Amino acid sequence: MKRGGSEEAKRRAGERAAAAVEDGMVVGLGTGSTAAHAVRALGREVDAGLDIEGIPTSFQSRELAREEGIPLTTLDEATPDLAIDGADQVAGGDLIKGGGAAHTREKIVDSAADRLLVVADPTKEAEVLDAPVPLEVVPDARQTVSGAVREHGGEATLRAAECKDGPVVTDNGNLVLDCEFGTIDSPDERAATLSAIPGVVEHGLFVGIADEIYVGTDEGVRVREL
Amino acid sequence: MKRGGSEEAKRRAGERAAAAVEDGMVVGLGTGSTAAHAVRALGREVDAGLDIEGIPTSFQSRELAREEGIPLTTLDEATPDLAIDGADQVAGGDLIKGGGAAHTREKIVDSAADRLLVVADPTKEAEVLDAPVPLEVVPDARQTVSGAVREHGGEATLRAAECKDGPVVTDNGNLVLDCEFGTIDSPDERAATLSAIPGVVEHGLFVGIADEIYVGTDEGVRVREL
């Protein structure tokens, strides 16, 4: 998905994060427009001789990595030394992801990595997380999960597709509920509550996973270590 | 799956639980050999005029309910008043399920029900849960989840299929890891830990969901309300 800040700011963040990748590394390749800049930058480095293997976080990032000529491997064979991924909202070190409906595999890869570098632009930054939290849910559980979200003070909306009739279907064959909770004061508690709802495959709260945040601006890149 | 106690004990438990179903109810229909006795008993009652609708917890229970002539509905249209389901192990009011790899949908339906009646035989009873906990996992996350289970003191084994090469694939297209933790002293904490592992769709611990336990014996049925 493409949203938010300027392409130039996103490019700066992505390229700076890509510069952290060293020869011999296995790299988790994030999804979305900002992470795509990092993947493209890595592609150029690979052309210039950098020896890495990538583990894509989605169908989209796999396709881009193939186009860019980045050799690929899988979580069955390797553990990422580092992952570079975008976010829909960043507050402190916590993220909301899932605007691209890829957050389940993103979380699997990003959590497996020794270090997660988050790339963003200033429009993604917030004092406190308050964006809707995407939930990937087993199709049969759409109504029961919506009910459970309501009991927890949220409002769930089934994400509709734009280029097909009906709902968005994830790369894993599931549905997405975008859940509005207002301000999320305790992301760790909210995350635990959402994880426990039967039928929730994965929620879009990434709590305590990120190690560094790269925010591209029109002037440069702010790097924050956590 | 068919395991454990005598068919007669299972039949007693299933039939007694089925007797709790009243006219007009929506009933969650469990999976497994003991729950099947309840479904068959309900089928006979429907033949005799009982007006209910069933919500199956699996492909298997849907097929059985159709054979038995039980009208079916879905969680999109109705909420179960009551569910009847089996268990692989019962201790106190907590369960381990997933021997039949149906625990994700079982948990969705069983949790949605106002009351869950668990049907079992004495071979399923334990003082403390200590059976392996089945995890349904996104295929890509097999190795990372196994690693996370190891970090939490467990040992994960990919469940192999018997009538196909390779692993068991669930009705949702995922894999099953059977995770040996030894004695599970705090099922609620273990459940929260497992729910939080990225790539775990659902674990087989059912904590605080059951309302009544029906244990069939060769002499009768012990009923325990929780």
Side-chain angles (χ1 to χ4, degrees):
Chain A
M1 301 275 298
K2 193 175 277 189
R3 271 161 309 205
S6 76
E7 214 48 40
E8 183 58 19
K10 293 178 178 186
R11 188 184 59 74
R12 283 209 169 95
E15 294 184 353
R16 174 70 89 81
V21 174
E22 295 170 14
D23 217 48
M25 277 187 173
V26 174
V27 184
L29 304 173
T31 309
S33 57
T34 314
H37 284 291
V39 176
R40 283 189 211 102
L42 288 175
R44 292 190 294 273
E45 292 296 318
V46 166
D47 280 347
L50 182 72
D51 175 28
I52 59 169
E53 288 184 304
I55 298 182
T57 57
S58 66
F59 183 95
Q60 188 205 51
S61 83
R62 175 176 290 112
E63 288 302 290
L64 180 58
R66 284 163 54 100
E67 282 169 30
E68 296 292 331
I70 300 173
L72 297 180
T73 184
T74 71
L75 290 173
D76 288 340
E77 290 152 280
T79 301
D81 298 291
L82 182 150
I84 301 173
D85 208 347
D88 300 318
Q89 192 170 48
V90 183
D94 299 328
L95 320 173
I96 291 178
K97 289 173 60 55
H103 60 280
T104 298
R105 195 176 148 81
E106 288 171 341
K107 197 183 283 188
I108 293 166
V109 175
D110 295 350
S111 300
D114 294 337
R115 281 163 68 202
L116 170 60
L117 278 48
V118 176
V119 290
D121 65 75
T123 67
K124 309 289 169 38
E125 291 183 296
E127 286 293 311
V128 184
L129 295 177
D130 62 1
V133 180
L135 304 186
E136 178 164 356
V137 300
V138 174
D140 286 340
R142 181 167 67 92
Q143 293 291 357
T144 58
V145 172
S146 296
V149 165
R150 203 153 42 235
E151 279 175 27
H152 290 298
E155 194 55 50
T157 306
L158 181 67
R159 190 180 297 175
E162 289 198 349
C163 298
K164 70 178 267 293
D165 291 335
V168 164
V169 177
T170 71
D171 293 353
N172 304 315
N174 297 310
L175 303 178
V176 178
L177 292 173
D178 291 303
C179 299
E180 182 66 71
F181 290 104
T183 300
I184 299 175
D185 294 313
S186 304
D188 50 347
E189 286 175 26
R190 176 63 67 204
T193 308
L194 294 175
S195 288
I197 298 175
V200 171
V201 176
E202 199 54 76
H203 59 77
L205 282 169
F206 283 47
V207 180
I209 300 176
D211 295 285
E212 297 166 39
I213 313 277
Y214 289 65
V215 179
T217 67
D218 289 337
E219 292 80 43
V221 179
R222 277 186 275 120
V223 180
R224 191 153 50 85
E225 299 200 12
L226 299 165
Chain B
M1 303 275 298
K2 193 176 278 190
R3 269 162 311 205
S6 75
E7 214 48 41
E8 183 58 18
K10 293 178 177 186
R11 188 183 60 73
R12 284 208 169 95
E15 293 184 353
R16 174 71 87 81
V21 174
E22 296 169 13
D23 217 49
M25 278 188 172
V26 174
V27 184
L29 304 173
T31 308
S33 57
T34 314
H37 284 290
V39 176
R40 284 190 210 102
L42 289 174
R44 292 190 295 272
E45 291 296 318
V46 166
D47 280 348
L50 183 71
D51 175 29
I52 60 170
E53 287 184 305
I55 298 183
T57 57
S58 67
F59 183 95
Q60 188 205 50
S61 82
R62 175 175 291 111
E63 287 303 291
L64 180 59
R66 286 163 54 100
E67 282 169 30
E68 296 293 329
I70 300 173
L72 297 180
T73 184
T74 71
L75 290 173
D76 289 339
E77 290 152 281
T79 300
D81 297 291
L82 182 150
I84 301 174
D85 208 346
D88 301 317
Q89 193 171 46
V90 184
D94 300 328
L95 321 174
I96 292 178
K97 289 173 60 54
H103 59 279
T104 298
R105 194 174 151 83
E106 287 171 340
K107 198 183 283 188
I108 293 167
V109 174
D110 294 350
S111 300
D114 294 337
R115 281 164 69 202
L116 170 60
L117 277 48
V118 175
V119 290
D121 66 75
T123 68
K124 311 289 169 40
E125 292 184 296
E127 286 293 311
V128 184
L129 296 177
D130 63 0
V133 180
L135 305 185
E136 178 164 354
V137 301
V138 173
D140 287 339
R142 179 168 67 92
Q143 292 292 358
T144 59
V145 172
S146 296
V149 166
R150 205 155 38 237
E151 280 175 26
H152 290 298
E155 195 54 51
T157 304
L158 181 67
R159 190 180 298 176
E162 290 197 350
C163 298
K164 70 177 268 293
D165 290 335
V168 163
V169 177
T170 70
D171 293 355
N172 305 314
N174 297 310
L175 303 179
V176 178
L177 292 172
D178 290 303
C179 299
E180 182 66 71
F181 290 104
T183 301
I184 299 174
D185 295 313
S186 303
D188 49 348
E189 287 176 24
R190 176 63 67 205
T193 308
L194 294 175
S195 289
I197 298 175
V200 172
V201 176
E202 199 54 77
H203 59 78
L205 282 169
F206 283 47
V207 180
I209 301 176
D211 295 285
E212 297 167 39
I213 314 276
Y214 290 64
V215 178
T217 67
D218 289 336
E219 292 80 44
V221 180
R222 277 186 274 119
V223 180
R224 191 152 50 85
E225 298 200 9
L226 300 165

